[in-house]
Amino acid sequence: MPHITEAPLRLSNANLPKFTQAETTPAYDRTNLKHGIVHVGVGGFHRAHLAVYVDRLLSQFSANDWSICGVGLTPFDAAMRDALQPQDHLYTVIERSARGSSAQIIGSISDYIFAPGNEEAVIAKMADKDTHIVSLTITESGYYYNESTHELDVSHPNIQFDLTGDGPPRTTYGYLTAALARRYKAGLRPFTVMSCDNMQKNGSISRNMLLAFARLKEPNMAAWLSENGAFPNSMVDRITPRTVDEDKHGLKQQFGIEDAWPVVTEPFMQWVLEDNFSDGRPQFEDVGVQVVPTVRDVEQFELMKLRLLNGGHVAMGYLASLAGFTYVHEVIADPLFSQYLNDLWYEEVKPLLPSIPGVDVDHYIQTLHSRFSNPTLKDEVARICLGGSGKMPQFILPSIAEQIESRGPIGRLTLCVAAWFRYLSGVDENGKTYKIDDPMAKELQILAREGGASPNSLLSVQTLFGDDLRYDGRFVREITMAMRTLDRRGARKTLEKSYTKLFTNTACTQSTHHVVDRDTAHSVRGVKDVIRGPSSMARGVSHGPWLDRYH
Ligand code: CS2
């Protein structure tokens, strides 16, 4: 690992030629770029994903019309502005694996507008003729999508404000609609709205929600947008932990780069993108994006990724948080938790997935296991527990509903919902308090405390559970039992009770699929008896309540 002896240098255009330890630095003229893309929500994920693909386009294909202008809509985004502006919007992507770390300096974001106080500048930028795509990473809750009715949450105060108020917009739809109305009047084409959020049919949801909003606010423009707009669906993937101070220090010491806000990520990166654009697009396929012709081609990848990767994160996250784990790789190295996750994947999620030509789901699951096991990434359990109200309806509840429909097993999926309910109390099993970071935190926390070991109060939230789940006798029975067991025994003991027998009886009889490449070798050590197909216990009890014999 290189260690720098000279003084570290602050990132800036002028210093770029001096960063000799970086694997790549922008080799293009950053003064000669147009903002073909305006991106709303510049966080770690965007900077490790779309911005990296665009950086490749700029370096390798001189795609100068496609640089990114970042936009931050919330007051919290001031921190990103303050980090990026003084360093000419350059930043470093630190890739970490068993092989070590590498640093790439990324230059594709060439401007940043902090919206509060500069609302007009954001609208003007989106409306500019050089802007062809507005991309979004605004989290699940940024879409104001009612999971139960599949409609825009029109009654939300922010949406109401943007529909009826005179003030500057508060929601993404407020900005998009204002900018699109200008383009409509100016005779320009609508920009493509490209969602890069983890949602099933992210493009279709963006389309339906924005059109619902626009029909109420700008009906003429809405008709034009409906006819001429484009909202590609996509599956996006790259695990991107929160940056901590240690990452900044490490970057200075190892690579001589002083960066106010680098991004840490894994080597893996994937983007499956529907080829549906209203005002042109860069040749994303030239830089490793899987551009596919129709929404159907994206759907199956999306489903696999959201239900297995994101669902897996949610499933382990709340139980692990209650049990006091800090990092994801520690959870996966614990045989009990690993077995739980493995059984959830194989028994309760995989059977629901369509087969994708050329994709081996078992291999995909093993890859996830090894990605989650990466100890160099230090992905925090707290991160994967953020925003559960947006994640549960996307990643977990649909699997439960589908399993109920086909009379399949739901024990592990249900235990994860129970763990979330217990987590919402805000106190872990060691009595440690933590903040619930969720747009619905206030109301959910009140309901969690009111409900105690009973799920009924939380199940009454119709927007999350719809009518089919909250009135489903089997689900309600299982979650009630799961919550009681969790309450009495805690997360680890609940799992221990479920698995002690299984481990002694079946550990030798299961076929084991080990992942053996260099990058993932860490995953094999310590958990080698755990990565395998579904357990016999799971097969044996799959149609009965999973936890009832522990009562
Ligand atoms: C995580 C994702 O917090 C979460 O929802 O599951 O951020 C996950 O790391 C990414 O979707 C990976 O592509």
Side-chain angles (χ1 to χ4, degrees), residues 45 140 198 236-241 266 305-306 309-311 313-314 371-372 379 383-386 391 395:
F45 178 72
E140 297 85 356
N198 282 313
V236 291
D237 193 4
R238 196 168 207 193
I239 296 175
T240 312
E266 58 176 344
K305 191 263 173 171
L306 299 179
L309 189 156
N310 300 101
H313 266 165
V314 172
R371 289 171 65 196
F372 287 7
D379 196 14
R383 180 187 81 85
I384 61 175
C385 290
L386 297 175
K391 293 174 181 174
F395 310 146

Side-chain angles (χ1 to χ4, degrees), residues 323-431:
F325 283 96
T326 306
Y327 295 112
V328 171
H329 68 272
E330 294 171 345
V331 185
I332 208 95
D334 183 312
L336 205 53
F337 284 79
S338 189
Q339 180 68 58
Y340 162 76
L341 186 61
N342 205 45
D343 283 349
L344 176 131
W345 275 334
Y346 279 103
E347 285 288 316
E348 301 190 5
V349 181
K350 181 188 156 189
L352 302 169
L353 300 174
S355 65
I356 311 177
V359 175
D360 174 351
V361 181
D362 288 351
H363 181 258
Y364 183 77
I365 292 176
Q366 290 158 37
T367 315
L368 292 184
H369 199 289
S370 63
R371 289 171 65 196
F372 287 7
S373 305
N374 183 348
T376 61
L377 208 52
K378 294 206 167 162
D379 196 14
E380 289 167 333
V381 169
R383 180 187 81 85
I384 61 175
C385 290
L386 297 175
S389 66
K391 293 174 181 174
M392 280 289 165
Q394 284 289 330
F395 310 146
I396 298 289
L397 302 181
S399 295
I400 297 181
E402 286 165 30
Q403 284 290 19
I404 286 175
E405 186 81 20
S406 59
R407 296 169 175 270
I410 58 168
R412 295 166 189 82
L413 289 161
T414 304
L415 178 59
C416 130
V417 184
W420 179 48
F421 283 7
R422 168 69 185 75
Y423 168 92
L424 286 170
S425 69
V427 188
D428 77 6
E429 290 168 5
N430 305 315

Side-chain angles (χ1 to χ4, degrees), residues 432-501:
K432 199 172 134 206
T433 54
Y434 47 84
K435 187 173 169 284
I436 311 286
D437 196 333
D438 191 303
M440 292 176 77
K442 217 168 164 193
E443 68 178 283
L444 295 181
Q445 193 151 15
I446 292 171
L447 294 172
R449 288 185 175 159
E450 181 185 298
S454 154
N456 293 338
S457 309
L458 281 160
L459 285 179
S460 69
V461 184
Q462 211 253 353
T463 50
L464 295 178
F465 293 97
D467 287 336
D468 34 350
L469 271 188
R470 66 193 178 125
Y471 293 126
D472 183 88
R474 183 177 160 210
F475 174 65
V476 174
R477 225 176 21 250
E478 291 213 21
I479 193 166
T480 305
M481 282 190 294
M483 283 196 69
R484 272 199 224 133
T485 314
L486 268 180
D487 191 55
R488 265 188 225 161
R489 301 182 184 277
R492 171 169 291 283
K493 287 250 162 57
T494 299
L495 289 176
E496 253 166 29
K497 276 285 175 190
S498 316
Y499 280 119
T500 315
K501 260 193 156 164

Side-chain angles (χ1 to χ4, degrees), residues 143-146 149-160 163 173 209 463:
Y143 290 83
Y144 299 94
Y145 174 62
N146 184 324
T149 60
H150 304 293
E151 283 170 6
L152 179 69
D153 186 359
V154 182
S155 60
H156 194 285
N158 292 347
I159 295 285
Q160 272 305 311
L163 283 174
Y173 301 136
M209 299 308 104
T463 50

